[in-house]
Amino acid sequence: MVLTDKGYSSRAIREHLRLCGIRAVSPVPVEQRGHRLRLGSRGGRPPAFDRAAYKQRNTVERCIYRLKPWRGIATHYEKTATIYLAGLHTAAVSLRRRMIQTTPRKRGRCRR
């Protein structure tokens, strides 16, 4: 499954992904919708759109945004996949640790 924005919702891109066996989830721009309606029955059926899956795109984008300061990950500078994956794991652990440290703790929950 590929989650894209409105810029990648053309028929050619959708058809290419379909031929490769990949499901595309992207909203249809207003002008494409209007064009299809003007054509009437020749305009074809609107492409399927899964709102629940598309909402997950925001989560992925926020994760990528947090990884961008890690230069080696953002630029794919490492030569081998193993080293790149190790850098990705290191960045993920560092980000998770920072999130845990900045999360406010609820008081009165600890028992001694």
Side-chain angles (χ1 to χ4, degrees):
M1 178 183 337
V2 174
L3 304 172
T4 63
D5 59 359
K6 291 181 181 182
Y8 297 97
S9 67
S10 70
R11 284 186 182 180
I13 292 174
R14 286 179 183 273
E15 185 177 344
H16 176 71
L17 290 173
R18 195 176 307 117
L19 290 174
C20 294
I22 301 170
R23 193 176 121 213
V25 177
S26 64
V28 178
V30 176
E31 60 270 2
Q32 279 185 9
R33 190 177 304 135
H35 180 69
R36 191 179 63 249
L37 291 175
R38 274 194 307 279
L39 288 175
S41 62
R42 295 177 324 206
R45 184 177 57 189
F49 179 65
D50 186 3
R51 285 189 188 276
Y54 189 72
K55 286 182 181 181
Q56 295 299 316
R57 181 175 172 263
N58 183 27
T59 306
V60 173
E61 282 185 354
R62 282 186 283 150
C63 180
I64 291 171
Y65 175 76
R66 287 192 177 125
L67 291 173
K68 287 233 177 186
W70 290 78
R71 184 174 167 213
I73 294 170
T75 59
H76 300 282
Y77 184 73
E78 280 74 16
K79 301 288 184 200
T80 63
T82 307
I83 294 175
Y84 181 77
L85 188 59
L88 192 61
H89 284 275
T90 305
V93 167
S94 176
L95 288 174
R96 181 68 180 146
R97 188 171 179 212
R98 192 176 318 145
M99 287 174 60
I100 290 172
Q101 289 175 350
T102 59
T103 304
R105 295 182 183 169
K106 294 181 181 179
R107 298 182 188 265
R109 293 271 187 183
C110 297
R111 295 183 187 187
R112 293 185 184 191

